[in-house]
């Protein structure tokens, strides 16, 4: 009888212990379910954002978007500023690897030259996501994917508008972005392809102005001295250079937006305001707010989902017909 009572007692104790463990595990599961993707067990995931620079509205808006989205999802974001130096950007990525961040978002300054940094991250098994600009390498091997706009398409859309609105005849100045960057190469490629079949669309000069307003103004001043009234179109690879070119054209009495058509890419607020004022003719949007799609893509990667080699963000086209409609939401 005592043996039977002992067996029953042990069985009850075992059942109670099993139930307690089950309840604890269930509680842990519920806690995990409540934890954001960037916060595991109360510990924030640390991810890096290697920005190329923070000296213009577009870059500032991009960095803010990444910071805001990281905070929203519970990540700790290590953000660096390469200050327009590829060598520093390489060092920034290597520092992130040494810190053992769990992912790196990289906005490449140049297409070439970052292969060493990508290799260091790959060796450390840290996934790299390229945003807004491409870099040499193979998606799925050297980096996970590229997230950004179709830069060739941006240039093509501007070029097609220019051909149509000049009746296929113009003296064109091109202000290029950072030499060697994928965005400058592709925006040029798209524009030149669009005007190729119009032999009276003449390129008078094409010079880098490094995506900067002050540089754009200075380069435009020099080109006005060289080409004067032959200039009837100015195509710039971003709005900051366009705004600088507009100032140079005004100073020379060349009536930008009317006598000289000014066309651009980016879609920043000051550019839309210039369209409304009649100084700028068109700009194709290149949205800098990459935070949501960048972190969505990273979290899909963490879940083991298939990530495409390129994720293209759709962009709007702004001219006098819709600039006022969108100016309030522009960056």
């Amino acid at each position: 009888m005592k043996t039977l009572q002992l067996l029953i007692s042990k069985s009850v104790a075992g059942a109670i212990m099993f139930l307690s463990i089950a309840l604890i595990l269930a509680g842990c599961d519920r806690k995990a379910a409540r934890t954001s993707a960037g916060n595991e067990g109360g510990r924030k995931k640390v991810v890096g954002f290697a920005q190329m620079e923070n000296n213009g509205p577009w870059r500032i808006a991009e960095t803010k978007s990444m910071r805001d989205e990281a905070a929203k999802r519970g990540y700790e974001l290590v953000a660096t500023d390469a200050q327009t130096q590829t060598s520093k950007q390489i060092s920034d990525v290597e520092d992130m690897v040494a810190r053992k961040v769990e992912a790196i978002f990289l906005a490449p300054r140049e297409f070439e030259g970052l292969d060493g940094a990508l290799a260091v991250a790959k060796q450390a098994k840290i996934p790299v996501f390229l945003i807004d600009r491409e870099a040499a390498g193979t998606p799925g091997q050297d980096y996970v994917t590229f997230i950004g706009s179709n830069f060739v398409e941006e240039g093509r859309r501007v070029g097609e508008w220019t051909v149509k609105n000049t009746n296929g005849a113009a003296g064109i100045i091109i202000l290029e972005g950072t030499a060697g960057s994928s965005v400058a190469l592709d925006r040029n490629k798209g524009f030149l392809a669009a005007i190729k079949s119009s032999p009276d669309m003449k390129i008078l000069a094409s010079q880098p102005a490094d995506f900067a307003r002050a540089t754009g103004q200075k380069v435009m001043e020099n080109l006005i001295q060289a080409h004067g009234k032959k200039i009837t179109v100015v195509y710039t690879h971003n709005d900051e250079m366009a705004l600088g070119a507009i100032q140079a054209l005004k100073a020379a009495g060349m009536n930008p937006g009317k006598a000289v058509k000014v066309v651009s890419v980016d879609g920043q607020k000051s550019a839309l305001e210039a369209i409304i004022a009649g100084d700028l003719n068109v700009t194709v949007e290149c949205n800098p707010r990459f935070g949501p799609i960048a972190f969505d893509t990273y979290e899909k990667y963490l879940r083991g989902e298939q990530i495409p080699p390129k994720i293209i963000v759709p962009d709007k086209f702004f001219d006098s017909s819709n600039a006022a409609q969108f100016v309030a939401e522009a960056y």
Side-chain angles (χ1 to χ4, degrees):
M1 188 69 177
K2 288 183 178 180
T3 302
L4 180 62
Q5 288 176 336
L6 182 61
L7 287 172
I8 292 172
S9 177
K10 286 183 177 179
S11 297
V12 171
I16 291 171
M17 181 176 292
F18 177 82
L19 181 60
S20 298
I21 293 170
L23 288 171
I24 290 169
L25 290 174
C28 290
D29 287 343
R30 285 194 296 271
K31 183 178 180 182
R34 291 195 302 268
T35 302
S36 69
N39 194 321
E40 291 184 341
R43 180 184 68 84
K44 284 187 176 183
K45 280 188 177 181
V46 181
V47 297
F49 174 44
Q51 177 62 284
M52 58 164 286
E53 63 188 13
N54 275 307
N55 63 353
W58 200 96
R59 290 287 156 191
I60 292 169
E62 181 183 48
T63 301
K64 183 178 186 302
S65 177
M66 294 296 290
R67 288 188 184 280
D68 289 351
E69 196 65 24
K72 177 182 175 183
R73 300 191 189 211
Y75 292 90
E76 179 183 341
L77 184 72
V78 177
T80 56
D81 179 356
Q83 300 171 5
T84 72
Q85 301 171 50
T86 302
S87 59
K88 186 177 185 307
Q89 190 165 49
I90 292 169
S91 177
D92 289 342
V93 171
E94 291 173 345
D95 287 346
M96 290 177 186
V97 172
R99 183 167 173 169
K100 298 182 180 180
V101 300
E102 298 190 49
I104 296 172
F105 299 102
L106 171 63
R109 182 178 184 272
E110 296 182 40
F111 183 77
E112 302 286 350
L114 291 166
D115 50 328
L118 292 174
V120 169
K122 182 179 179 179
Q123 186 176 11
K125 294 182 170 54
I126 298 173
V128 176
F129 300 81
L130 304 185
I131 62 172
D132 88 64
R133 290 188 183 185
E134 295 185 75
T138 304
Q141 295 181 26
D142 302 300
Y143 55 89
V144 177
T145 187
F146 161 73
I147 306 169
S149 297
N150 186 329
F151 303 134
V152 175
E153 178 69 5
E154 291 171 346
R156 184 192 64 78
R157 293 172 78 180
V158 174
E160 288 180 348
W161 184 96
T162 304
V163 171
K164 181 179 178 181
N165 288 273
T166 59
N167 295 317
I172 305 168
I173 295 294
I174 299 177
L175 298 187
E176 305 167 10
T178 305
S181 66
S182 65
V183 59
L185 295 170
D186 286 351
R187 285 178 183 169
N188 228 30
K189 181 179 179 180
F191 183 84
L192 295 177
I195 70 171
K196 185 178 180 180
S197 59
S198 302
D200 291 328
M201 302 291 285
K202 307 290 187 182
I203 306 296
L204 301 175
S206 184
Q207 291 188 17
D210 207 27
F211 289 119
R213 188 181 304 199
T215 309
Q217 182 173 346
K218 183 177 180 180
V219 172
M220 192 68 225
E221 288 169 351
N222 294 335
L223 293 174
I224 288 170
Q225 290 182 1
H227 301 282
K229 299 296 183 181
K230 293 180 183 177
I231 302 169
T232 58
V233 169
V234 177
Y235 166 48
T236 68
H237 287 176
N238 84 333
D239 290 340
E240 282 294 290
M241 292 188 296
L243 294 168
I246 286 169
Q247 291 304 310
L249 289 165
K250 284 184 174 181
M254 294 181 69
N255 201 5
K258 299 173 183 65
V260 179
K261 289 179 169 52
V262 184
V263 294
S264 182
V265 182
D266 267 1
Q268 68 187 53
K269 179 175 283 190
S270 52
L272 269 61
E273 290 169 345
I275 291 175
I276 295 168
D279 297 328
L280 181 67
N281 296 93
V282 300
T283 183
V284 176
E285 179 186 42
C286 185
N287 197 322
R289 299 183 178 106
F290 282 100
I293 191 169
F295 281 95
D296 278 348
T297 303
Y298 173 46
E299 289 175 4
K300 287 178 182 178
Y301 172 85
L302 291 177
R303 293 194 295 268
E305 296 183 27
Q306 186 68 33
I307 307 298
K310 284 189 178 185
I311 300 172
I312 301 301
V313 181
D315 295 316
K316 299 183 181 71
F317 186 95
F318 301 115
D319 59 16
S320 59
S321 71
N322 66 351
Q325 176 186 350
F326 291 103
V327 67
E329 64 186 59
Y331 64 93

